[in-house]
């Protein structure tokens, strides 16, 4: 088990959520290492979108995994004396048979694992998994095509998938736990302020705490959308329950490796 305490207690710069050429990131791993070191980072973890059983242009294929592990070893050999590099994946929970708890992921030599939900089943066709992450324009189009415009279904199903993922286990860090909140609130203004929505987040939070998982504060969208995942309004709850937290930039570009992290850390520290 990865010793998160080493990082949680440290004032060192770290990022445990990084996308590169092995999925939808925009630079090779080495460029992230060089940039992280230049910015004074002491810990950097790589998290390509893990292979999944459904068709996805974003996720790494199983055939690419060995190449990723080889590149990781090469970079550790070259830079490991200057920065701690970690091998990980952001593993999708797609369903009971395709998620972080699968034997396949247990068999991989990973330092830690992030569990995330980016896909939920279409409203009248549970066999079709639909991407609910990403830019709002695409989300809006898929709301009509796959969900009959039923935003309540989408929000509830996102959180029920998250709950099922937490129940199944097989991972260490819960990735962007309320990510649906942004796209849902673009589609239906204020939906993420409604009591039933709040309850879904709080129930998920309690379940995560019961399972002793680490919660990610994801800062990728802070600069562009003024939004953290979990949303800023839940930071007080994280602190009150002394939740184990890691603050990750979910960087897809080397220059954004620290984007939003200092702001989140500062906001968390004053609570
Ligand atoms: Zn993600
Ligand atoms: Zn990510």
């Amino acid at each position: 088990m990865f010793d998160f305490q080493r990082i949680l207690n440290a004032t060192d710069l770290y990022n445990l959520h990084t996308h590169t050429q092995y999925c939808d990131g925009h630079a090779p791993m080495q460029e992230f290492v060089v940039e992280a070191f230049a910015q004074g980072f002491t810990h950097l973890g790589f998290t390509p979108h893990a292979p999944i059983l459904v068709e996805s242009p974003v996720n790494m294929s199983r055939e690419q995994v060995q190449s990723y592990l080889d590149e990781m070893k090469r970079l550790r050999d070259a830079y490991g004396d200057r920065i701690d590099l970690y091998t990980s994946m952001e593993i999708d929970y797609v369903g009971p048979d395709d998620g972080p708890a699968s034997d396949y992921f247990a068999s991989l030599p990973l330092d830690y694992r992030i569990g995330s939900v980016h896909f939920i089943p279409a409203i009248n066709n549970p066999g079709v998994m639909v991407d609910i992450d990403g830019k709002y324009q695409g989300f809006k189009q898929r709301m009509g095509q796959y969900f009959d415009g039923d935003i309540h279904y989408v929000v509830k199903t996102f959180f029920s998938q998250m709950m099922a993922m937490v129940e199944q286990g097989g991972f260490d860090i819960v990735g962007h736990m309320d990510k649906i909140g942004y796209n849902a609130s673009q589609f239906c203004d204020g939906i993420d302020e409604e009591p039933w929505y709040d309850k879904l987040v709080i129930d998920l939070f309690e379940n995560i705490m019961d399972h002793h998982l680490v919660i990610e504060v994801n800062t990728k969208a802070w600069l562009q959308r003024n939004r953290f995942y979990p949303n800023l309004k839940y930071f007080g709850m994280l602190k009150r329950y002394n939740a184990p937290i890691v603050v990750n930039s979910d960087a897809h570009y080397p220059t954004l490796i620290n984007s939003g992290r200092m702001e989140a850390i500062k906001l968390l520290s004053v609570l």
Side-chain angles (χ1 to χ4, degrees):
M1 168 73 179
F2 184 74
D3 182 11
F4 291 101
Q5 219 52 46
R6 270 179 63 205
I7 287 180
L8 299 180
N9 291 333
T11 50
D12 301 344
L13 286 172
Y14 67 84
N15 181 47
L16 301 180
H17 191 156
T18 313
H19 297 284
T20 68
Q21 82 271 29
Y22 284 100
C23 54
D24 59 345
H26 297 279
M29 286 165 68
Q30 181 161 339
E31 287 185 26
F32 284 87
V33 175
V34 170
E35 178 69 23
F37 182 68
Q39 290 194 27
F41 277 61
T42 47
H43 306 270
L44 179 63
F46 288 103
T47 51
H49 290 288
I52 53 176
L53 300 177
V54 297
E55 189 69 34
S56 163
V58 171
N59 294 65
M60 177 166 58
S61 70
R62 286 199 185 195
E63 290 70 39
Q64 286 174 289
V65 170
Q66 191 54 51
S67 159
Y68 164 58
L69 297 175
D70 292 346
E71 179 62 357
M72 203 62 230
K73 184 183 178 323
R74 188 185 75 79
L75 292 171
R76 266 183 170 153
D77 289 346
Y79 297 94
D81 56 337
R82 282 165 280 177
I83 181 167
D84 285 336
L85 300 175
Y86 304 108
T87 313
S88 179
M89 289 184 184
E90 181 178 18
I91 306 174
D92 275 288
Y93 179 84
V94 181
D97 302 319
D98 188 11
S102 301
D103 292 344
Y104 172 69
F105 294 113
S107 75
L108 296 176
L110 305 176
D111 292 313
Y112 63 90
R113 294 158 173 81
I114 297 180
S116 295
V117 170
H118 306 103
F119 300 89
I120 65 168
I123 193 163
N124 290 320
N125 193 347
V128 176
M129 297 305 297
V130 183
D131 184 355
I132 44 78
D133 212 72
K135 295 199 171 64
Y136 178 64
Q137 268 324 100
F139 176 82
K140 193 175 155 196
Q141 183 257 323
R142 289 188 287 275
M143 276 304 298
Q145 189 177 352
Y146 295 104
F147 301 120
D148 296 344
D150 188 343
I151 192 65
H152 287 78
Y153 166 84
V154 170
V155 169
K156 285 177 182 167
T157 306
F158 173 84
F159 283 107
S160 67
Q161 291 281 94
M162 289 291 294
M163 289 290 255
M165 177 177 82
V166 168
E167 289 295 330
Q168 273 207 352
F171 64 101
D172 309 280
I173 301 174
V174 181
H176 44 62
M177 60 177 273
D178 63 351
K179 188 89 189 274
I180 193 63
Y182 176 78
N183 275 337
S185 66
Q186 293 297 108
F187 190 82
C188 178
D189 190 29
I191 194 169
D192 54 341
E193 299 297 331
E194 294 173 14
W196 66 272
Y197 176 98
D198 237 9
K199 186 173 182 323
L200 291 175
V201 178
I202 291 164
D203 286 351
L204 173 61
F205 171 73
E206 287 175 351
N207 202 11
I208 293 167
M209 292 297 282
D210 286 347
H211 286 82
H212 308 289
L213 296 166
V214 175
I215 294 178
E216 168 184 81
V217 172
N218 186 301
T219 65
K220 182 185 170 204
W222 179 248
L223 278 188
Q224 280 192 350
R225 298 174 178 172
N226 207 30
R227 188 146 185 147
F228 295 118
Y229 308 106
N231 203 346
L232 182 56
K233 70 173 174 171
Y234 299 114
F235 280 21
M237 179 173 74
L238 298 178
K239 291 286 280 196
R240 218 161 37 246
Y241 289 88
N242 202 18
I245 294 167
V246 290
V247 181
N248 290 331
S249 64
D250 195 353
H252 289 60
Y253 295 89
T255 51
L256 296 180
I257 200 127
N258 205 24
S259 180
R261 288 189 65 263
M262 293 299 114
E263 291 86 341
I265 288 168
K266 196 169 167 202
L267 287 162
L268 284 160
S269 73
V270 296
L271 287 168

